[in-house]
Amino acid sequence: MKNYIEYSKEVQNAIDIGLPIVALESTIISHGMPYPKNVETAIRCEEIVRENGSIPATIAILNGKLKIGLSSEELDYLGKTGTGIMKTSRRDIAYNVANKIDGATTVSATMYISSLAGIKVFATGGVGGVHRGAETSFDISADLEELAITNVLVVCAGVKSILDLGLTLEYLETKGVPVIGYQTKMLPAFYSRVSKFDVNFKIDTPREIANVLKTKYDLNLNGGVLVTNPIPLEFSMNNEVIGKVIDDAIIEMDKLGIIGKEQTPYLLGKIVELTKGDSLKSNIALVYNNCKLASRISNEYTAQGGK
Ligand code: PSU
Ligand code: MN
């Protein structure tokens, strides 16, 4: 296994001396945002994690290695190449490594690689979920299955309404994944702070969230935890306005016949276009907010003796 993993110096040092770490994914860089905002955001995410007391570990597959911690050149390469890099979920990891094909890792792949390094806390923007119409398309993100089996807490901004929020919650319940609302009872909907659905547990401090995580693993309850953190108020979008944009983007996507793993990147790009860049500003703000919370949870988890 060791031969397959390559740590940055900063992450290796953090592991050696037991500093708190926060994993970050790379599909959000290559497929989630346009260049050069994607690279600026990735770099700023790492800074925010450091400012709040943890060490950032951005994860990708490069030259056949599972890379844990990237250089600024590597971040730039991922951002510049954009969708020219393969979007790699759990399914693709072995193929990428065996053939030395670069991959930007989704939430599922990043969770798995984090778990190999013993990293328990991971910050992103949005997770995949059960797509609208999944009852006929069967399109359910591998992210949910990873949350079911892999011991990593993921901080996100809730479930985007390109997905079916209700079915996503049902799926997570079936798989035994706790959905925590950070200072909220309501499941946030990514661009907006509100939805028609409730989270399982409202928890108000990073310390209490870390305590749930530690207790879960003390009890041998394997699998992930999903923390949903509402977008900061000043960046939240009007639910009806963004709802209409998302509906229009989905109609356009269906017209073009886009299916499978291309759907989420297409919709994100289309939403940026239809909102004239407003959704991108919101997306960046919520990612920063999640990095901050994840860093504080990771600190607390380490302080509580979490391994
Ligand atoms: N949602 C976002 N931004 C993203 C993604 C989702 O707001 O960048 C990416 C993440 O990497 C996530 C993946 O893991 O899309 C899910 O893809 P799919 O729906 O194909 O499972
Ligand atoms: Mn899918």
Side-chain angles (χ1 to χ4, degrees):
M1 176 68 84
K2 269 195 179 147
N3 296 336
Y4 290 103
I5 303 178
E6 222 169 76
Y7 296 98
S8 68
K9 277 213 179 86
E10 186 187 22
V11 173
Q12 183 65 63
N13 178 59
I15 292 172
D16 291 346
I17 64 177
L19 297 178
I21 302 175
V22 171
L24 301 165
E25 59 147 317
S26 45
T27 295
I28 190 174
I29 306 173
S30 59
H31 291 68
M33 293 180 190
Y35 183 80
K37 278 271 176 248
N38 54 3
V39 178
E40 279 168 44
T41 304
I43 289 170
R44 184 72 195 122
C45 279
E46 295 201 341
E47 286 169 4
I48 290 170
V49 170
R50 289 188 196 99
E51 285 164 14
N52 288 278
S54 296
I55 299 298
T58 308
I59 289 176
I61 298 176
L62 296 174
N63 300 317
K65 297 283 184 195
L66 307 178
K67 301 274 293 183
I68 306 184
L70 300 180
S71 67
S72 51
E73 292 76 26
E74 288 165 335
L75 291 174
D76 195 66
Y77 164 71
L78 286 169
K80 216 176 248 170
T81 314
T83 52
I85 293 205
M86 189 168 153
K87 173 181 166 186
T88 295
S89 71
R90 161 185 271 266
R91 168 192 79 177
D92 310 302
I93 297 173
Y95 175 83
N96 283 51
V97 170
N99 294 289
K100 295 196 171 25
I101 293 171
D102 295 343
T105 50
T106 64
V107 169
S108 69
T110 305
M111 281 181 77
Y112 179 70
I113 296 168
S114 297
S115 74
L116 297 178
I119 300 171
K120 291 286 186 316
V121 180
F122 166 16
T124 187
V127 289
V130 180
H131 279 260
R132 292 192 201 174
E135 60 274 23
T136 50
S137 71
F138 268 49
D139 192 347
I140 299 172
S141 175
D143 295 352
L144 297 185
E145 201 59 34
E146 205 63 43
L147 280 161
I149 60 176
T150 298
N151 296 357
V152 176
L153 175 146
V154 180
V155 179
C156 70
V159 181
K160 204 180 298 88
S161 56
I162 64 175
L163 303 168
D164 188 314
L165 279 66
L167 294 187
T168 300
L169 285 172
E170 290 296 342
Y171 195 93
L172 289 168
E173 177 176 351
T174 302
K175 297 294 181 172
V177 179
V179 179
I180 293 171
Y182 179 60
Q183 300 181 341
T184 180
K185 232 171 83 59
M186 208 184 263
L187 177 71
F190 198 82
Y191 299 115
S192 105
R193 295 168 63 90
V194 295
S195 76
K196 281 187 291 188
F197 298 90
D198 282 341
V199 294
N200 307 140
F201 313 106
K202 171 180 181 281
I203 304 186
D204 293 335
T205 65
R207 174 170 306 166
E208 290 164 287
I209 294 174
N211 186 31
V212 170
L213 187 68
K214 178 160 185 304
T215 305
K216 186 173 194 280
Y217 299 143
D218 285 348
L219 294 170
N220 284 335
L221 283 161
N222 285 324
V225 171
L226 190 65
V227 173
T228 62
N229 186 23
I231 182 172
L233 197 56
E234 61 274 31
F235 290 97
S236 70
M237 301 180 80
N238 178 292
N239 226 6
E240 273 166 32
V241 173
I242 192 69
K244 170 85 171 64
V245 165
I246 289 172
D247 289 346
D248 290 349
I250 290 176
I251 290 169
E252 193 61 28
M253 176 180 79
D254 290 341
K255 256 194 226 153
L256 293 169
I258 293 168
I259 53 163
K261 67 190 273 197
E262 316 299 339
Q263 285 200 346
T264 301
Y266 172 81
L267 289 172
L268 288 169
K270 191 72 191 170
I271 293 165
V272 172
E273 184 191 313
L274 293 175
T275 60
K276 303 190 174 62
D278 276 359
S279 72
L280 182 59
K281 283 190 197 131
S282 295
N283 198 345
I284 292 171
L286 67 82
V287 173
Y288 292 163
N289 195 41
N290 294 344
C291 288
K292 181 176 170 189
L293 178 59
S295 184
R296 295 173 63 197
I297 294 170
S298 191
N299 293 342
E300 291 290 344
Y301 185 72
T302 301
Q304 291 173 20
K307 289 278 178 300

PDB file of all heavy atoms in Angstrom, residues 49-76:
ATOM      1  N   VAL A  49      -7.930  26.627   6.253  1.00  0.00           N
ATOM      2  CA  VAL A  49      -7.747  25.462   7.139  1.00  0.00           C
ATOM      3  C   VAL A  49      -6.588  25.737   8.106  1.00  0.00           C
ATOM      4  O   VAL A  49      -6.706  25.529   9.326  1.00  0.00           O
ATOM      5  CB  VAL A  49      -7.500  24.175   6.317  1.00  0.00           C
ATOM      6  CG1 VAL A  49      -7.067  23.027   7.223  1.00  0.00           C
ATOM      7  CG2 VAL A  49      -8.760  23.786   5.548  1.00  0.00           C
ATOM      8  N   ARG A  50      -5.479  26.268   7.586  1.00  0.00           N
ATOM      9  CA  ARG A  50      -4.323  26.577   8.462  1.00  0.00           C
ATOM     10  C   ARG A  50      -4.670  27.647   9.486  1.00  0.00           C
ATOM     11  O   ARG A  50      -4.334  27.519  10.657  1.00  0.00           O
ATOM     12  CB  ARG A  50      -3.122  27.054   7.626  1.00  0.00           C
ATOM     13  CG  ARG A  50      -2.479  25.967   6.821  1.00  0.00           C
ATOM     14  CD  ARG A  50      -1.178  26.454   6.162  1.00  0.00           C
ATOM     15  NE  ARG A  50      -0.791  25.525   5.104  1.00  0.00           N
ATOM     16  CZ  ARG A  50      -1.036  25.728   3.806  1.00  0.00           C
ATOM     17  NH1 ARG A  50      -1.611  26.833   3.386  1.00  0.00           N
ATOM     18  NH2 ARG A  50      -0.680  24.805   2.915  1.00  0.00           N
ATOM     19  N   GLU A  51      -5.348  28.698   9.032  1.00  0.00           N
ATOM     20  CA  GLU A  51      -5.694  29.805   9.953  1.00  0.00           C
ATOM     21  C   GLU A  51      -6.556  29.324  11.121  1.00  0.00           C
ATOM     22  O   GLU A  51      -6.571  29.939  12.169  1.00  0.00           O
ATOM     23  CB  GLU A  51      -6.466  30.907   9.200  1.00  0.00           C
ATOM     24  CG  GLU A  51      -5.579  31.758   8.306  1.00  0.00           C
ATOM     25  CD  GLU A  51      -6.381  32.574   7.280  1.00  0.00           C
ATOM     26  OE1 GLU A  51      -7.618  32.684   7.417  1.00  0.00           O
ATOM     27  OE2 GLU A  51      -5.750  33.081   6.335  1.00  0.00           O
ATOM     28  N   ASN A  52      -7.274  28.225  10.905  1.00  0.00           N
ATOM     29  CA  ASN A  52      -8.147  27.725  11.951  1.00  0.00           C
ATOM     30  C   ASN A  52      -7.572  26.510  12.675  1.00  0.00           C
ATOM     31  O   ASN A  52      -8.289  25.798  13.382  1.00  0.00           O
ATOM     32  CB  ASN A  52      -9.537  27.440  11.381  1.00  0.00           C
ATOM     33  CG  ASN A  52     -10.274  28.735  11.073  1.00  0.00           C
ATOM     34  OD1 ASN A  52     -10.856  29.350  11.958  1.00  0.00           O
ATOM     35  ND2 ASN A  52     -10.199  29.186   9.822  1.00  0.00           N
ATOM     36  N   GLY A  53      -6.289  26.283  12.480  1.00  0.00           N
ATOM     37  CA  GLY A  53      -5.574  25.351  13.352  1.00  0.00           C
ATOM     38  C   GLY A  53      -5.298  23.952  12.835  1.00  0.00           C
ATOM     39  O   GLY A  53      -4.686  23.152  13.535  1.00  0.00           O
ATOM     40  N   SER A  54      -5.735  23.619  11.613  1.00  0.00           N
ATOM     41  CA  SER A  54      -5.433  22.280  11.088  1.00  0.00           C
ATOM     42  C   SER A  54      -4.521  22.379   9.865  1.00  0.00           C
ATOM     43  O   SER A  54      -4.248  23.470   9.368  1.00  0.00           O
ATOM     44  CB  SER A  54      -6.719  21.550  10.699  1.00  0.00           C
ATOM     45  OG  SER A  54      -7.528  21.313  11.826  1.00  0.00           O
ATOM     46  N   ILE A  55      -4.083  21.248   9.393  1.00  0.00           N
ATOM     47  CA  ILE A  55      -3.223  21.182   8.207  1.00  0.00           C
ATOM     48  C   ILE A  55      -4.069  20.697   7.029  1.00  0.00           C
ATOM     49  O   ILE A  55      -4.771  19.684   7.143  1.00  0.00           O
ATOM     50  CB  ILE A  55      -2.046  20.208   8.462  1.00  0.00           C
ATOM     51  CG1 ILE A  55      -1.181  20.694   9.641  1.00  0.00           C
ATOM     52  CG2 ILE A  55      -1.201  19.999   7.207  1.00  0.00           C
ATOM     53  CD1 ILE A  55      -0.518  22.032   9.445  1.00  0.00           C
ATOM     54  N   PRO A  56      -4.038  21.405   5.889  1.00  0.00           N
ATOM     55  CA  PRO A  56      -4.840  20.979   4.737  1.00  0.00           C
ATOM     56  C   PRO A  56      -4.151  19.865   3.937  1.00  0.00           C
ATOM     57  O   PRO A  56      -2.927  19.869   3.789  1.00  0.00           O
ATOM     58  CB  PRO A  56      -4.909  22.249   3.882  1.00  0.00           C
ATOM     59  CG  PRO A  56      -3.640  22.996   4.204  1.00  0.00           C
ATOM     60  CD  PRO A  56      -3.285  22.649   5.626  1.00  0.00           C
ATOM     61  N   ALA A  57      -4.953  18.943   3.438  1.00  0.00           N
ATOM     62  CA  ALA A  57      -4.430  17.871   2.582  1.00  0.00           C
ATOM     63  C   ALA A  57      -5.343  17.756   1.364  1.00  0.00           C
ATOM     64  O   ALA A  57      -6.373  17.067   1.408  1.00  0.00           O
ATOM     65  CB  ALA A  57      -4.398  16.557   3.353  1.00  0.00           C
ATOM     66  N   THR A  58      -4.989  18.475   0.302  1.00  0.00           N
ATOM     67  CA  THR A  58      -5.779  18.343  -0.924  1.00  0.00           C
ATOM     68  C   THR A  58      -5.368  17.040  -1.607  1.00  0.00           C
ATOM     69  O   THR A  58      -4.188  16.716  -1.679  1.00  0.00           O
ATOM     70  CB  THR A  58      -5.561  19.559  -1.848  1.00  0.00           C
ATOM     71  OG1 THR A  58      -5.793  20.754  -1.098  1.00  0.00           O
ATOM     72  CG2 THR A  58      -6.513  19.521  -3.037  1.00  0.00           C
ATOM     73  N   ILE A  59      -6.367  16.308  -2.097  1.00  0.00           N
ATOM     74  CA  ILE A  59      -6.130  14.943  -2.588  1.00  0.00           C
ATOM     75  C   ILE A  59      -6.447  14.832  -4.079  1.00  0.00           C
ATOM     76  O   ILE A  59      -7.409  15.415  -4.573  1.00  0.00           O
ATOM     77  CB  ILE A  59      -6.966  13.956  -1.735  1.00  0.00           C
ATOM     78  CG1 ILE A  59      -6.335  13.884  -0.322  1.00  0.00           C
ATOM     79  CG2 ILE A  59      -7.057  12.577  -2.396  1.00  0.00           C
ATOM     80  CD1 ILE A  59      -7.082  13.046   0.673  1.00  0.00           C
ATOM     81  N   ALA A  60      -5.581  14.115  -4.800  1.00  0.00           N
ATOM     82  CA  ALA A  60      -5.787  13.847  -6.234  1.00  0.00           C
ATOM     83  C   ALA A  60      -4.958  12.619  -6.598  1.00  0.00           C
ATOM     84  O   ALA A  60      -4.166  12.126  -5.779  1.00  0.00           O
ATOM     85  CB  ALA A  60      -5.337  15.051  -7.069  1.00  0.00           C
ATOM     86  N   ILE A  61      -5.124  12.135  -7.820  1.00  0.00           N
ATOM     87  CA  ILE A  61      -4.249  11.069  -8.325  1.00  0.00           C
ATOM     88  C   ILE A  61      -3.383  11.662  -9.432  1.00  0.00           C
ATOM     89  O   ILE A  61      -3.904  12.198 -10.416  1.00  0.00           O
ATOM     90  CB  ILE A  61      -5.073   9.877  -8.866  1.00  0.00           C
ATOM     91  CG1 ILE A  61      -5.911   9.274  -7.732  1.00  0.00           C
ATOM     92  CG2 ILE A  61      -4.150   8.818  -9.493  1.00  0.00           C
ATOM     93  CD1 ILE A  61      -6.840   8.152  -8.153  1.00  0.00           C
ATOM     94  N   LEU A  62      -2.067  11.627  -9.237  1.00  0.00           N
ATOM     95  CA  LEU A  62      -1.145  12.191 -10.230  1.00  0.00           C
ATOM     96  C   LEU A  62      -0.020  11.194 -10.494  1.00  0.00           C
ATOM     97  O   LEU A  62       0.549  10.629  -9.539  1.00  0.00           O
ATOM     98  CB  LEU A  62      -0.560  13.524  -9.743  1.00  0.00           C
ATOM     99  CG  LEU A  62      -1.555  14.691  -9.543  1.00  0.00           C
ATOM    100  CD1 LEU A  62      -0.854  15.903  -8.920  1.00  0.00           C
ATOM    101  CD2 LEU A  62      -2.209  15.084 -10.867  1.00  0.00           C
ATOM    102  N   ASN A  63       0.296  10.983 -11.746  1.00  0.00           N
ATOM    103  CA  ASN A  63       1.365  10.035 -12.128  1.00  0.00           C
ATOM    104  C   ASN A  63       1.220   8.685 -11.435  1.00  0.00           C
ATOM    105  O   ASN A  63       2.206   8.085 -11.019  1.00  0.00           O
ATOM    106  CB  ASN A  63       2.747  10.610 -11.778  1.00  0.00           C
ATOM    107  CG  ASN A  63       3.000  11.909 -12.504  1.00  0.00           C
ATOM    108  OD1 ASN A  63       2.692  12.029 -13.689  1.00  0.00           O
ATOM    109  ND2 ASN A  63       3.547  12.890 -11.796  1.00  0.00           N
ATOM    110  N   GLY A  64       0.004   8.232 -11.292  1.00  0.00           N
ATOM    111  CA  GLY A  64      -0.222   6.917 -10.697  1.00  0.00           C
ATOM    112  C   GLY A  64      -0.088   6.870  -9.190  1.00  0.00           C
ATOM    113  O   GLY A  64      -0.142   5.794  -8.599  1.00  0.00           O
ATOM    114  N   LYS A  65       0.099   8.025  -8.547  1.00  0.00           N
ATOM    115  CA  LYS A  65       0.204   8.052  -7.081  1.00  0.00           C
ATOM    116  C   LYS A  65      -1.056   8.651  -6.456  1.00  0.00           C
ATOM    117  O   LYS A  65      -1.627   9.604  -7.009  1.00  0.00           O
ATOM    118  CB  LYS A  65       1.390   8.913  -6.631  1.00  0.00           C
ATOM    119  CG  LYS A  65       2.741   8.396  -7.090  1.00  0.00           C
ATOM    120  CD  LYS A  65       3.193   7.215  -6.258  1.00  0.00           C
ATOM    121  CE  LYS A  65       4.590   6.794  -6.706  1.00  0.00           C
ATOM    122  NZ  LYS A  65       4.959   5.469  -6.200  1.00  0.00           N
ATOM    123  N   LEU A  66      -1.430   8.116  -5.319  1.00  0.00           N
ATOM    124  CA  LEU A  66      -2.477   8.751  -4.520  1.00  0.00           C
ATOM    125  C   LEU A  66      -1.790   9.883  -3.767  1.00  0.00           C
ATOM    126  O   LEU A  66      -1.000   9.641  -2.864  1.00  0.00           O
ATOM    127  CB  LEU A  66      -3.085   7.752  -3.532  1.00  0.00           C
ATOM    128  CG  LEU A  66      -3.597   6.431  -4.122  1.00  0.00           C
ATOM    129  CD1 LEU A  66      -4.127   5.522  -3.023  1.00  0.00           C
ATOM    130  CD2 LEU A  66      -4.685   6.693  -5.164  1.00  0.00           C
ATOM    131  N   LYS A  67      -2.035  11.102  -4.193  1.00  0.00           N
ATOM    132  CA  LYS A  67      -1.335  12.260  -3.624  1.00  0.00           C
ATOM    133  C   LYS A  67      -2.157  12.846  -2.483  1.00  0.00           C
ATOM    134  O   LYS A  67      -3.332  13.193  -2.666  1.00  0.00           O
ATOM    135  CB  LYS A  67      -1.136  13.341  -4.684  1.00  0.00           C
ATOM    136  CG  LYS A  67      -0.343  12.886  -5.894  1.00  0.00           C
ATOM    137  CD  LYS A  67       1.136  13.019  -5.694  1.00  0.00           C
ATOM    138  CE  LYS A  67       1.567  14.461  -5.600  1.00  0.00           C
ATOM    139  NZ  LYS A  67       3.033  14.579  -5.468  1.00  0.00           N
ATOM    140  N   ILE A  68      -1.510  12.984  -1.338  1.00  0.00           N
ATOM    141  CA  ILE A  68      -2.189  13.548  -0.167  1.00  0.00           C
ATOM    142  C   ILE A  68      -1.415  14.806   0.230  1.00  0.00           C
ATOM    143  O   ILE A  68      -0.355  14.722   0.837  1.00  0.00           O
ATOM    144  CB  ILE A  68      -2.263  12.514   0.975  1.00  0.00           C
ATOM    145  CG1 ILE A  68      -2.919  11.223   0.450  1.00  0.00           C
ATOM    146  CG2 ILE A  68      -3.021  13.099   2.165  1.00  0.00           C
ATOM    147  CD1 ILE A  68      -3.146  10.150   1.461  1.00  0.00           C
ATOM    148  N   GLY A  69      -1.947  15.958  -0.175  1.00  0.00           N
ATOM    149  CA  GLY A  69      -1.210  17.222  -0.048  1.00  0.00           C
ATOM    150  C   GLY A  69      -0.578  17.549  -1.391  1.00  0.00           C
ATOM    151  O   GLY A  69       0.226  16.782  -1.912  1.00  0.00           O
ATOM    152  N   LEU A  70      -0.971  18.687  -1.971  1.00  0.00           N
ATOM    153  CA  LEU A  70      -0.488  19.053  -3.314  1.00  0.00           C
ATOM    154  C   LEU A  70       0.315  20.354  -3.252  1.00  0.00           C
ATOM    155  O   LEU A  70       0.070  21.209  -2.397  1.00  0.00           O
ATOM    156  CB  LEU A  70      -1.677  19.259  -4.264  1.00  0.00           C
ATOM    157  CG  LEU A  70      -2.613  18.071  -4.478  1.00  0.00           C
ATOM    158  CD1 LEU A  70      -3.731  18.451  -5.446  1.00  0.00           C
ATOM    159  CD2 LEU A  70      -1.854  16.859  -5.011  1.00  0.00           C
ATOM    160  N   SER A  71       1.239  20.506  -4.188  1.00  0.00           N
ATOM    161  CA  SER A  71       1.989  21.760  -4.297  1.00  0.00           C
ATOM    162  C   SER A  71       1.140  22.781  -5.042  1.00  0.00           C
ATOM    163  O   SER A  71       0.127  22.417  -5.677  1.00  0.00           O
ATOM    164  CB  SER A  71       3.285  21.518  -5.075  1.00  0.00           C
ATOM    165  OG  SER A  71       2.962  21.192  -6.415  1.00  0.00           O
ATOM    166  N   SER A  72       1.555  24.051  -5.020  1.00  0.00           N
ATOM    167  CA  SER A  72       0.767  25.055  -5.743  1.00  0.00           C
ATOM    168  C   SER A  72       0.836  24.806  -7.250  1.00  0.00           C
ATOM    169  O   SER A  72      -0.122  25.090  -7.971  1.00  0.00           O
ATOM    170  CB  SER A  72       1.196  26.470  -5.368  1.00  0.00           C
ATOM    171  OG  SER A  72       2.574  26.601  -5.488  1.00  0.00           O
ATOM    172  N   GLU A  73       1.943  24.238  -7.737  1.00  0.00           N
ATOM    173  CA  GLU A  73       2.028  23.888  -9.172  1.00  0.00           C
ATOM    174  C   GLU A  73       1.003  22.804  -9.511  1.00  0.00           C
ATOM    175  O   GLU A  73       0.371  22.835 -10.570  1.00  0.00           O
ATOM    176  CB  GLU A  73       3.431  23.375  -9.553  1.00  0.00           C
ATOM    177  CG  GLU A  73       4.542  24.414  -9.496  1.00  0.00           C
ATOM    178  CD  GLU A  73       5.006  24.741  -8.081  1.00  0.00           C
ATOM    179  OE1 GLU A  73       4.870  23.871  -7.185  1.00  0.00           O
ATOM    180  OE2 GLU A  73       5.472  25.882  -7.867  1.00  0.00           O
ATOM    181  N   GLU A  74       0.879  21.836  -8.612  1.00  0.00           N
ATOM    182  CA  GLU A  74      -0.081  20.750  -8.869  1.00  0.00           C
ATOM    183  C   GLU A  74      -1.531  21.269  -8.830  1.00  0.00           C
ATOM    184  O   GLU A  74      -2.360  20.854  -9.648  1.00  0.00           O
ATOM    185  CB  GLU A  74       0.133  19.615  -7.856  1.00  0.00           C
ATOM    186  CG  GLU A  74       1.426  18.852  -8.134  1.00  0.00           C
ATOM    187  CD  GLU A  74       1.887  17.967  -6.982  1.00  0.00           C
ATOM    188  OE1 GLU A  74       1.535  18.230  -5.807  1.00  0.00           O
ATOM    189  OE2 GLU A  74       2.635  17.013  -7.260  1.00  0.00           O
ATOM    190  N   LEU A  75      -1.798  22.176  -7.909  1.00  0.00           N
ATOM    191  CA  LEU A  75      -3.145  22.776  -7.857  1.00  0.00           C
ATOM    192  C   LEU A  75      -3.424  23.542  -9.147  1.00  0.00           C
ATOM    193  O   LEU A  75      -4.512  23.473  -9.723  1.00  0.00           O
ATOM    194  CB  LEU A  75      -3.274  23.723  -6.656  1.00  0.00           C
ATOM    195  CG  LEU A  75      -3.282  23.080  -5.272  1.00  0.00           C
ATOM    196  CD1 LEU A  75      -3.267  24.162  -4.185  1.00  0.00           C
ATOM    197  CD2 LEU A  75      -4.491  22.179  -5.087  1.00  0.00           C
ATOM    198  N   ASP A  76      -2.410  24.260  -9.621  1.00  0.00           N
ATOM    199  CA  ASP A  76      -2.571  25.034 -10.837  1.00  0.00           C
ATOM    200  C   ASP A  76      -2.813  24.124 -12.050  1.00  0.00           C
ATOM    201  O   ASP A  76      -3.662  24.406 -12.898  1.00  0.00           O
ATOM    202  CB  ASP A  76      -1.324  25.907 -11.059  1.00  0.00           C
ATOM    203  CG  ASP A  76      -1.597  26.984 -12.085  1.00  0.00           C
ATOM    204  OD1 ASP A  76      -2.419  27.867 -11.797  1.00  0.00           O
ATOM    205  OD2 ASP A  76      -1.030  26.902 -13.199  1.00  0.00           O
TER     206      ASP A  76
END
